[in-house]
Amino acid sequence: MELFNQTSIVNTLDNHRPDALSHYPIIHQQPIHWGEMDAFNHLNNVVYYRYAESARIGYLQALGMFDGNMVTVLAQSSCQYLRPVTYPDTLLLGVRCQRLGTTSIAIEYSYYSTAQAAIVATADAVIVRLDSNGQDKMPWTDEERERLLALEATFGHIPKV
């Protein structure tokens, strides 16, 4: 099964991933842009959420769950900033499922700075799946659940179900 269709995602077979991200099936590569810095000369806090959104979409695309036939709504998100990030740098965002619910997924992120060779932030989010009209919750299919759990297991991670 082809899991990747974007150049911003590091192939799961790539042996160059940092050890800190070894149990994350999807790695989203994100260069820092000068215009994303704030007045204190570090990455603005809002930008972390944009990066998480891009990584989350990549995760769902890799699983074939972001095909236009459903709507996902962000129900909750948080970010814990551990170290300041400055330009120039490239972040690697590890993405994995913490918990797979009937109609939701709790996602976990680790932001790894290639310049600092360290995790600089962690985050989590809960998305809820809705039907294509955006009105009613829609359960994940058995096939979708199996694909997600198989991908996670490949990297030694077992989400709560």
Side-chain angles (χ1 to χ4, degrees):
M1 166 176 47
E2 176 67 28
L3 292 177
F4 306 98
N5 58 7
Q6 293 184 1
T7 57
S8 65
I9 300 175
V10 176
N11 189 316
T12 58
L13 301 176
D14 184 6
N15 292 327
H16 296 95
R17 68 177 53 224
D19 288 342
L21 299 178
S22 64
H23 296 293
Y24 288 83
I26 301 298
I27 307 297
H28 175 80
Q29 186 174 347
Q30 182 63 59
I32 304 300
H33 302 285
W34 175 256
E36 296 168 331
M37 308 299 283
D38 63 16
F40 299 106
N41 199 34
H42 56 71
L43 190 63
N44 186 285
N45 61 316
V46 173
V47 176
Y48 288 84
Y49 288 94
R50 286 189 207 133
Y51 292 171
E53 177 183 52
S54 294
R56 180 172 58 249
I57 289 169
Y59 180 80
L60 293 173
Q61 284 176 327
L63 290 166
M65 294 181 181
F66 198 80
D67 61 3
N69 292 326
M70 68 170 171
V71 175
T72 56
V73 176
L74 184 63
Q76 179 275 326
S77 65
S78 68
C79 187
Q80 298 73 47
Y81 310 99
L82 307 174
R83 299 172 114 176
V85 174
T86 58
Y87 176 87
D89 199 350
T90 298
L91 296 179
L92 303 177
L93 278 74
V95 184
R96 67 183 179 188
C97 176
Q98 284 180 326
R99 183 187 50 77
L100 179 59
T102 303
T103 61
S104 65
I105 296 178
I107 297 176
E108 176 182 8
Y109 310 91
S110 283
Y111 297 71
Y112 180 89
S113 162
T114 58
Q116 299 179 50
I119 299 292
V120 293
T122 59
D124 58 68
V126 175
I127 59 168
V128 176
R129 181 181 187 181
L130 302 176
D131 63 16
S132 60
N133 296 324
Q135 298 297 315
D136 298 309
K137 291 181 180 179
M138 185 173 165
W140 305 108
T141 67
D142 289 340
E143 180 185 342
E144 290 166 335
R145 295 173 75 80
E146 288 171 14
R147 278 195 316 252
L148 184 147
L149 294 172
L151 177 64
E152 296 284 347
T154 301
F155 289 86
H157 181 254
I158 300 172
K160 296 177 186 174
V161 289

